[in-house]
């Protein structure tokens, strides 16, 4: 039998039991208090974060589309680069020819608006998704669908060849009978892998693709070939375009106006070298043409300038062409092609274009309907004495028929 505890020891043990009980109760109270506090904070965050369901997103989506294409032509022009009627006709064309269809929750009009927003302002998928209240996956899916549909429109958006005839009234082109239009190359910045950057670096140090394009007198692109590395020369790109199976077709007896970056060969008429040529050299205060070759170069420059203006309008309209995008290089090339095709569509549908008005571009409404299905085409780009002689004869004819004050 254990000896009895003293009074002091009993008091000490009693106090220790009370303290242990108090510590346990305090711990339990703190646990429940903190747990309740976490619940309250989570409940408070639920009130702050608004979770959008599919039904909740529909009204903002409808309001956004109405602001784009249903309120005024100004908003539609600023955001989509075309007026409301042109946008509606484009959507109809993409349905009938491009094979574009309404999605389960995204109609064709919204699909096209998302795609045009990326081309016009070079916005990323996240920005477009935020504006249209769509997920990034949805934006990416429909952008590629619309891109493929636009590419299919090339069969109707590429104009037929319309050579210059004797009865043309435009003074810039009346001296170049048989001319189809103007041809040149332009650099468009692209994003490529580090291993490909040396090939795509052009003479200006930019990572770009050398894009060949030809346009007619109405600033519609007849042909375009993007994808060549920026280091490739213009003449090399042209030779590739002519030798392709579905490449650039120049009928025998017709030609394009080109600058001195190309050879003066059959189908491609260039100015005389070592003689002033560019329009800034013929500005106010400069000397008038002094011989046949100078007069030829002046008129050649005035007519060929149409391709420079076409490139300027194209890049002002589509912001995706002014800086490299973050898509794969194949997708970037296809987007460049879509920009050319949509440019032609806008040229044919809109009577007034603010982009062209800003550049003070005047259009020519002459039209010809010629069929080239059974014509022979130029198959190579090689300098020839016959073509050089033809250029010399043209310059002499211009000089003899120049008149007293005519230098147009």
């Amino acid at each position: 039998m254990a000896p009895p505890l003293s009074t002091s020891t009993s008091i000490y043990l009693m106090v220790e039991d009370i303290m242990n009980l108090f510590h346990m109760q305090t711990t339990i109270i703190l646990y429940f208090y903190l747990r309740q506090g976490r619940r309250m904070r989570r409940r408070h965050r639920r009130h702050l974060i608004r979770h959008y369901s599919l039904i909740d997103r529909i009204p903002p989506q409808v309001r956004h589309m109405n602001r784009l294409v249903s309120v005024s032509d100004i908003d539609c022009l600023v955001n989509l680069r075309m007026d409301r009627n042109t946008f509606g006709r484009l959507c109809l064309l993409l349905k009938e020819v491009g094979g574009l269809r309404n999605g389960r929750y995204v109609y064709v009009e919204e699909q096209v608006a998302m795609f045009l927003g990326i081309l016009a302002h070079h916005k990323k998928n996240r920005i477009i998704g935020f504006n249209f209240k769509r997920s990034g996956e949805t934006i990416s899916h429909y952008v590629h669908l619309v891109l493929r549909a636009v590419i299919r429109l090339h069969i109707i958006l590429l104009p037929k060849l319309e050579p210059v005839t004797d009865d043309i009234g435009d003074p810039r082109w009346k001296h170049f009978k048989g001319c189809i239009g103007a041809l040149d190359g332009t650099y468009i910045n692209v994003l490529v892998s580090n291993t490909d950057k040396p090939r795509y670096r052009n003479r200006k140090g930019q990572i770009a693709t050398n894009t060949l394009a030809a346009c007619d007198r109405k600033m519609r692109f007849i042909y375009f070939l993007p994808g060549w590395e920026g280091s490739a020369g213009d003449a090399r790109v042209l030779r590739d375009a002519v030798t392709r199976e579905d490449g650039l077709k120049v009928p025998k007896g017709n030609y394009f106006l080109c600058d001195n970056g190309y050879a003066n060969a059959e189908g491609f008429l260039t100015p005389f070298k070592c003689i002033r040529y560019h329009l800034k050299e013929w500005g106010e205060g400069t000397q008038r043409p002094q011989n046949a070759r100078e007069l030829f170069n002046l008129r050649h420059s005035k007519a060929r300038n149409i391709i420079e203006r076409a490139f300027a309008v194209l890049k002002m309209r589509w912001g995706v062409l002014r800086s490299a995008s973050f898509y794969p290089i194949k997708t970037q090339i296809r987007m460049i092609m879509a920009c050319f095709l949509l440019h032609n569509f806008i040229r044919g549908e809109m009577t007034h274009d603010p982009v062209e008005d800003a550049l003070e571009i005047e259009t020519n409404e002459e039209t010809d309907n010629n069929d080239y299905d059974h014509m022979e085409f130029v198959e190579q780009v090689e300098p020839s004495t016959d073509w050089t002689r033809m250029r010399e004869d043209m310059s002499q004819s211009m000089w003899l028929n120049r008149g007293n004050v005519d230098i147009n």
Side-chain angles (χ1 to χ4, degrees), residues 362-375:
E362 297 180 0
T363 60
N364 181 18
E365 300 300 334
E366 298 289 337
T367 58
D368 300 306
N369 296 316
N370 294 324
D371 188 5
Y372 293 92
D373 292 340
H374 305 287
M375 298 289 291

Side-chain angles (χ1 to χ4, degrees), residues 12-217:
Y12 175 79
L13 292 176
M14 186 182 301
V15 172
E16 185 177 4
D17 291 339
I18 294 173
M19 292 298 296
N20 290 335
L21 181 62
F22 177 77
H23 179 71
M24 183 181 297
Q25 292 176 347
T26 304
T27 303
I28 294 173
I29 292 173
L30 288 175
Y31 170 76
F32 283 105
Y33 175 78
L34 294 176
R35 183 178 179 183
Q36 186 67 18
R38 284 195 296 270
R39 290 179 177 176
M40 295 296 294
R41 285 194 295 271
R42 282 199 295 267
R43 190 178 304 168
H44 181 65
R45 284 199 296 268
R46 291 195 193 100
H47 290 292
L48 294 178
I49 300 176
R50 184 178 179 184
H51 297 278
Y52 286 93
S53 65
L54 184 61
I55 301 300
D56 295 330
R57 294 178 183 178
I58 291 178
Q61 292 167 357
V62 173
R63 287 196 298 268
H64 185 69
M65 282 300 300
N66 287 339
R67 291 186 61 195
L68 285 179
V69 300
S70 300
V71 177
S72 68
D73 283 334
I74 296 178
D75 293 331
C76 196
L77 281 167
V78 169
N79 290 278
L80 306 181
R81 294 297 188 256
M82 59 186 71
D83 58 29
R84 292 175 293 175
N85 290 332
T86 305
F87 177 77
R89 287 191 289 268
L90 175 62
C91 294
L92 184 62
L93 194 63
L94 289 172
K95 291 179 182 178
E96 296 178 350
V97 181
L100 200 61
R101 295 291 179 263
N102 291 327
R104 185 175 182 181
Y105 302 110
V106 185
Y107 284 3
V108 168
E109 289 75 13
E110 188 173 359
Q111 299 174 27
V112 178
M114 293 187 294
F115 179 72
L116 293 178
I118 291 176
L119 294 187
H121 305 284
H122 195 188
K123 292 182 179 179
K124 297 182 180 179
N125 284 10
R126 293 180 180 179
I127 304 300
I128 296 296
F130 179 80
N131 293 339
F132 285 86
K133 303 295 188 297
R134 300 288 182 182
S135 66
E137 182 180 358
T138 300
I139 299 297
S140 179
H141 173 71
Y142 286 110
V143 164
H144 285 84
L145 284 183
V146 178
L147 177 59
R148 287 195 291 268
V150 172
I151 297 298
R152 296 191 190 103
L153 299 184
H154 74 278
I155 56 177
I156 60 175
L157 293 184
L158 292 179
K160 293 183 178 180
L161 304 183
E162 300 177 358
V164 175
T165 57
D166 291 328
D167 58 349
I168 188 171
D170 193 333
R172 295 173 299 176
W173 297 93
K174 64 181 181 181
H175 307 287
F176 300 98
K177 181 181 177 181
C179 179
I180 304 172
L183 179 144
D184 201 0
T186 184
Y187 291 117
I188 298 177
N189 293 336
V190 293
L191 181 68
V192 296
S193 62
N194 291 332
T195 57
D196 293 333
K197 283 184 178 180
R199 296 190 296 114
Y200 281 88
R201 193 179 304 277
N202 60 22
R203 65 178 185 273
K204 300 179 181 179
Q206 302 171 339
I207 307 301
T209 174
N210 191 352
T211 301
L212 175 72
C215 74
D216 60 8
R217 304 188 308 274

Side-chain angles (χ1 to χ4, degrees), residues 297-316:
N297 275 15
L298 172 61
R299 290 174 173 173
H300 187 285
S301 179
K302 286 187 174 181
R304 196 198 66 85
N305 193 51
I306 191 72
I307 187 67
E308 304 293 347
R309 298 200 303 271
F311 284 146
V313 171
L314 182 74
K315 293 184 179 182
M316 287 182 65

Side-chain angles (χ1 to χ4, degrees), residues 201-400:
R201 193 179 304 277
N202 60 22
R203 65 178 185 273
K204 300 179 181 179
Q206 302 171 339
I207 307 301
T209 174
N210 191 352
T211 301
L212 175 72
C215 74
D216 60 8
R217 304 188 308 274
K218 303 174 185 177
M219 279 179 51
R220 299 174 303 178
F221 288 101
I222 302 172
Y223 179 80
F224 47 86
L225 177 61
W228 268 91
E229 300 89 341
S231 59
D234 292 343
R236 181 184 178 187
V237 179
L238 178 59
R239 284 195 296 268
D240 176 64
V242 172
T243 55
R244 286 174 178 247
E245 182 178 355
D246 297 326
L248 179 62
K249 303 300 180 183
V250 185
K252 296 281 188 177
N254 299 123
Y255 56 90
F256 285 103
L257 300 182
C258 311
D259 61 15
N260 280 324
Y262 304 91
N264 186 56
E266 183 181 10
F268 306 96
L269 185 64
T270 64
F272 291 99
K273 294 184 178 180
C274 303
I275 296 175
R276 55 178 174 162
Y277 173 72
H278 297 287
L279 290 179
K280 63 182 180 181
E281 301 178 66
W282 302 96
E284 186 177 355
T286 58
Q287 193 177 28
R288 293 161 61 92
Q290 299 301 302
N291 51 54
R293 292 191 172 188
E294 285 195 352
L295 180 61
F296 176 86
N297 275 15
L298 172 61
R299 290 174 173 173
H300 187 285
S301 179
K302 286 187 174 181
R304 196 198 66 85
N305 193 51
I306 191 72
I307 187 67
E308 304 293 347
R309 298 200 303 271
F311 284 146
V313 171
L314 182 74
K315 293 184 179 182
M316 287 182 65
R317 175 177 287 122
W318 307 117
V320 74
L321 301 180
R322 296 196 294 269
S323 59
S325 60
F326 293 91
Y327 292 95
I329 183 62
K330 291 184 178 180
T331 304
Q332 294 181 66
I333 299 304
R334 291 170 65 85
M335 282 190 166
I336 294 173
M337 298 169 63
C339 290
F340 278 96
L341 293 173
L342 291 173
H343 169 89
N344 284 358
F345 178 77
I346 294 174
R347 285 289 301 170
E349 296 293 336
M350 290 180 56
T351 56
H352 299 286
D353 187 354
V355 177
E356 298 173 11
D357 294 341
L359 293 177
E360 300 180 355
I361 296 177
E362 297 180 0
T363 60
N364 181 18
E365 300 300 334
E366 298 289 337
T367 58
D368 300 306
N369 296 316
N370 294 324
D371 188 5
Y372 293 92
D373 292 340
H374 305 287
M375 298 289 291
E376 295 184 0
F377 299 98
V378 175
E379 298 180 353
Q380 59 182 358
V381 185
E382 296 295 339
S384 64
T385 56
D386 294 339
W387 203 254
T388 302
R389 189 182 305 112
M390 188 202 74
R391 181 178 63 177
E392 191 68 40
D393 294 341
M394 289 179 63
S395 65
Q396 293 297 331
S397 177
M398 291 181 187
W399 182 252
L400 294 175

